[in-house]
Amino acid sequence: MSNMPQRKDQTDCTCATLRERLAFNILLDELAIAALSDALALLHATGDPGATQIEHTIRTHRIAILKQRVILGAAGIELE
């Protein structure tokens, strides 16, 4: 096994870089949820039957973001 070459296709990332990327990804998720919430308000106003499904999706994504923040916080990674 010592003759196997080391993989070097992964880039080195600092903790700060990873924290920034995680924060950015969560921000994008929150922006998507905000856009869905705006669309949901319009669907409710028009009585669209698909509104319930979108409402469930928004709730699921909000819970997922909260879970991400809790897990990262427990790991000592605080996001702004």
Side-chain angles (χ1 to χ4, degrees):
M1 295 271 173
S2 62
N3 293 338
M4 293 180 65
Q6 296 290 331
R7 289 186 63 176
K8 296 192 179 196
D9 58 348
Q10 297 179 355
T11 59
D12 292 331
C13 289
T14 64
C15 288
T17 302
L18 290 174
R19 187 177 301 113
E20 288 172 4
R21 289 180 183 175
L22 288 167
F24 182 70
N25 286 333
I26 290 174
L27 174 66
L28 289 176
D29 286 342
E30 290 171 344
L31 289 173
I33 288 172
L36 284 172
S37 295
D38 291 343
L40 180 63
L42 292 173
L43 291 174
H44 273 304
T46 60
D48 192 301
T52 303
Q53 184 177 2
I54 293 177
E55 193 170 19
H56 176 71
T57 301
I58 291 170
R59 188 178 308 114
T60 301
H61 284 293
R62 283 185 176 148
I63 291 168
I65 289 173
L66 288 172
K67 286 180 179 179
Q68 281 180 324
R69 288 185 179 274
V70 168
I71 291 168
L72 293 171
I77 302 170
E78 296 298 327
L79 301 177
E80 297 176 10

